[in-house]
Amino acid sequence: MRSNLKLRSNVYLRKRSVALQNDEAFLGQVRGESAVGKLLGMYGIPAGHRRHSDSEVIALFRQNKLTQRQLNTIKWELRCIRCDCIPIGVSFRDVVEFRCSEPGCAQSSTPVRSVLIPDSILAGHPRTTGWEQILSGAIQSCRGVLPEFSTEQPRTRIVVRVAPTADWLYSDSELSAFIVYGLKHQD
Amino acid sequence: MAKHFGIDFGTTNSAVVVYDDQRKSFTRIGEKGPIPFPSVIAVDNLTQEVSAGQKVKDQIITLREGGMHLVIESVKTILDSDQLWTTPARTWRAGDIASELFRALAQRAEEDNNPPLREAVVAIPIGMNADKRATLRSAADSAGVKVLSFISEPTAAFIAHSGELRHCRYAVVFDWGGGTLDISVLEVKSGCIIERYTAGSPKAGDYIDDLLARWLHSQISETHGLTIGFDNVAPEERHILLNESEKAKRQLQQEDATQAVIELGRYAGLTLVAQTLTKATLNSILEDVVSGALEMLLQCVEAARVSQEEIGRLIVVGGTSQLSLLQRELRQRWPHPNIIFPREADWDIARGAAWVAAHPGCYRMAESIGVVLSDDQFHAIFPVNTKQESARSTLHFGLVEDATTATFNFAARNGDERATHIGELHTPCFGFRDELIELDCHITSDLVFEANADSEAKPQRKRSFKYDMLRWMYEVPGSDISQENP
């Protein structure tokens, strides 16, 4: 029986004469939350500003000093500040879950986002509360896969509480797409 | 130096050939004319005197039974073992025994008025691991014989017949000796001999002797009503039967021989036992083994992705290839008139080695060896065609993860094929930081790829990786051996 495990190499060629911060080919290979964190530190990003959505991080990405994979690493591998585990990940049910068991985990405090919804959709489904149930139901039924965006105008801003997982994973327009899907497929 | 030595250090027999540069001639150094030197030694427990070769083989039972000697055979197969033998004065390792054999071969060469055997090219079987090669080199060195280079046995056999192979692109060497059957499909490309495909089997001369001895035992048991099994017969009596089986086998290879009589002084409680073995019976006993060997030959050619028509020559060497049944079956199942049955099959490998000693070529890599990087890309350290003696390279790496161990995955790649994983090397590091890891790689004279990884931050933690199964091609110098054969 053939093994289905593979021991992956974790080394890449370095140019001896080139300083680490200038060895672009090598730096593009850096992987894992801890190493990418150190990489951000090397670029002078303070510890509190290393979220994927922080402007300093986005600026590095635009300057090609950070690859898409490294950006994703920050997105996915954020540690709980209390138990040091990585609480966001894909569960065996194939959905992204927030799994930190610490009751006071800083990541578990429910964030609030404001998103734009087309007026035509809102007119068909007038309601002012329960947006979080519509959003989580839509994410679950889409299994996390983004539904179609709607760019229809005019749009109205609504405020919605979102689970930490969704907060880390989705942009405002993506959350809007899920809510639109949820509203269209209610009942 | 006008005389050059080649040694075929065999499991059962060893052969030494001297090539005279001035006379352009080869001389065999063995026992009693055309017989190679038996690879067996005996150490006297009292005097520590060492004897070797035919005289030990002739008295092997007496020496063993006498209890005054340490007798060791087939040391080549256990060169990498930790086995120890003790005599009252000292402990012997496999390397010490091999060294005594080299010493005996050197002495035998001097007895024939040759210059002292101080350096030689030594033929080794394909697949002989790095530890065995190192032990063999060091054993020769202790006996005062410097190994100029190793040459693989099929390549040596090929070189010995290079005159007849001048226009061949492919050739097969069928080497059936005492210990193993080795089949190699060789390709000649740009002056290099490449081992394109090789296969081996332990069913060789010793296995055949065992088959014969078991058959003889069954016949004796039937005639005399013996109930004891072959494996329960006293070891020395079993050994006598094995020796007599081998003699009978050889005797029945003569064209006019029809039967051989095996006479035993005592066997399993019986005295004066005689058993007849006819040529027809011998052939029926050997039918399966020979058929298996030929099947392996055909499979080997197929696996090398070469058609039989493309094979320029089939060279049949080794003591067991003298079996008349093999020669007959081979002519039937290999329907091409390109088989070479050398007259001196036992000496061809040593002859090729001696020629290489006089006309040294060089080894070039027949496949690339490299490291798989963190992005799963193969980076060749030594590409195809790299010469063994110039294969030295120092590379620098960095750790792409915040781990405390750097993992180097080594791989070999043949042409455009996918790289095949051959092993890994782990070396301690401090994690992701400005830490250079130096990978120093070279290929030893024993044809072993060696890589030493060393973090500049933890220089005392050097780790090594060795790989001894690389594929090689041997670059033959221009001279033509066929012009120089006696």
Side-chain angles (χ1 to χ4, degrees), chain A residues 7 9-10 12 14 16 34, chain B residues 372 396 398 400 402 405 407 409:
Chain A
L7 186 65
S9 162
N10 61 3
Y12 197 80
R14 278 285 314 273
R16 198 188 167 96
S34 172
Chain B
V372 177
H396 292 93
V400 300
D402 204 17
T405 305
T407 300
N409 279 346

Side-chain angles (χ1 to χ4, degrees), chain A residues 52 72 75-76 88-89 95-97 113 139 144 163-171 174-175:
Chain A
H52 75 284
N72 290 344
K75 209 170 180 177
W76 282 78
I88 298 173
V95 288
V96 177
E97 284 182 353
R113 300 272 287 272
I139 293 173
T165 318
D167 184 41
W168 285 113
L169 285 177
Y170 304 117
S171 65
E174 288 167 344
L175 289 174

Side-chain angles (χ1 to χ4, degrees), chain B residues 64-77:
Chain B
R64 279 212 168 111
E65 279 182 349
M68 296 302 291
H69 290 81
L70 168 72
V71 181
I72 296 163
E73 295 172 277
S74 307
V75 73
K76 185 179 166 184
T77 56

Side-chain angles (χ1 to χ4, degrees), chain B residues 292-317:
Chain B
L294 294 180
E295 204 56 51
M296 203 169 120
L297 166 69
L298 301 177
Q299 281 169 5
C300 202
V301 172
E302 199 181 323
R305 294 186 219 153
V306 180
S307 69
Q308 286 186 23
E309 288 71 26
E310 286 177 286
I311 305 285
R313 287 281 190 275
L314 168 60
I315 310 164
V316 186
V317 294

Side-chain angles (χ1 to χ4, degrees), chain B residues 272-312:
Chain B
L272 297 172
V273 182
Q275 180 65 47
T276 304
L277 175 68
T278 65
K279 198 169 196 168
T281 310
L282 173 74
N283 287 348
S284 72
I285 294 169
L286 300 187
E287 207 176 328
D288 284 350
V289 190
V290 169
S291 174
L294 294 180
E295 204 56 51
M296 203 169 120
L297 166 69
L298 301 177
Q299 281 169 5
C300 202
V301 172
E302 199 181 323
R305 294 186 219 153
V306 180
S307 69
Q308 286 186 23
E309 288 71 26
E310 286 177 286
I311 305 285

Side-chain angles (χ1 to χ4, degrees), chain B residues 47-322:
Chain B
T47 62
Q48 296 301 303
E49 192 189 335
V50 178
S51 33
Q54 195 64 43
K55 62 185 173 194
V56 176
K57 194 178 176 186
D58 289 343
Q59 315 172 57
I60 198 160
I61 304 303
T62 320
L63 293 173
R64 279 212 168 111
E65 279 182 349
M68 296 302 291
H69 290 81
L70 168 72
V71 181
I72 296 163
E73 295 172 277
S74 307
V75 73
K76 185 179 166 184
T77 56
I78 46 167
L79 281 173
D80 56 346
S81 77
D82 295 327
Q83 199 171 337
L84 296 173
W85 297 269
T86 48
T87 53
R90 64 172 283 196
T91 302
W92 299 77
R93 290 179 180 280
D96 301 325
I97 306 295
S99 187
E100 290 301 334
L101 270 172
F102 274 110
R103 206 165 277 131
L105 290 171
Q107 197 183 336
R108 185 74 193 81
E110 273 194 62
E111 284 165 11
D112 282 359
N113 296 324
N114 287 297
L117 199 172
R118 293 215 176 96
E119 52 183 40
V121 168
V122 177
I124 54 170
I126 291 168
M128 186 184 221
N129 67 36
D131 289 345
K132 281 186 178 178
R133 283 179 228 171
T135 307
L136 197 60
R137 186 182 283 275
S138 139
D141 205 43
S142 321
V145 180
K146 183 187 171 195
V147 176
L148 291 170
S149 75
F150 287 122
I151 182 113
S152 86
E153 288 172 359
T155 301
F158 182 97
I159 288 171
H161 290 276
S162 61
E164 296 147 278
L165 300 163
R166 202 174 299 129
H167 303 296
C168 302
R169 178 160 179 207
Y170 300 104
V172 176
V173 176
F174 183 95
D175 178 9
W176 209 3
T180 55
L181 163 64
D182 294 301
I183 301 171
S184 315
V185 180
L186 306 175
E187 181 180 0
V188 186
K189 206 173 170 182
S190 315
C192 290
I193 302 168
I194 305 163
E195 280 148 14
R196 204 177 152 96
Y197 192 84
T198 57
S201 162
K203 290 184 178 176
D206 295 342
Y207 175 81
I208 287 174
D209 297 341
D210 188 71
L211 273 185
L212 282 180
R214 283 174 193 276
W215 181 85
L216 287 166
H217 174 86
S218 70
Q219 294 304 302
I220 294 167
S221 300
E222 209 175 297
T223 314
H224 298 278
L226 280 182
T227 51
I228 187 172
F230 177 72
D231 294 320
N232 296 325
V233 174
E236 59 277 14
E237 291 179 358
R238 215 166 55 217
H239 197 94
I240 294 174
L241 186 59
L242 278 165
N243 270 356
E244 291 302 316
S245 305
E246 193 216 346
K247 276 186 201 163
K249 177 186 78 180
R250 281 184 185 271
Q251 197 183 325
L252 289 173
Q253 300 320 310
Q254 308 290 333
E255 219 169 278
D256 51 349
T258 53
Q259 64 173 46
V261 180
I262 293 99
E263 290 174 332
L264 305 165
R266 58 188 168 84
Y267 184 75
L270 305 169
T271 48
L272 297 172
V273 182
Q275 180 65 47
T276 304
L277 175 68
T278 65
K279 198 169 196 168
T281 310
L282 173 74
N283 287 348
S284 72
I285 294 169
L286 300 187
E287 207 176 328
D288 284 350
V289 190
V290 169
S291 174
L294 294 180
E295 204 56 51
M296 203 169 120
L297 166 69
L298 301 177
Q299 281 169 5
C300 202
V301 172
E302 199 181 323
R305 294 186 219 153
V306 180
S307 69
Q308 286 186 23
E309 288 71 26
E310 286 177 286
I311 305 285
R313 287 281 190 275
L314 168 60
I315 310 164
V316 186
V317 294
T320 308
S321 65
Q322 303 296 305

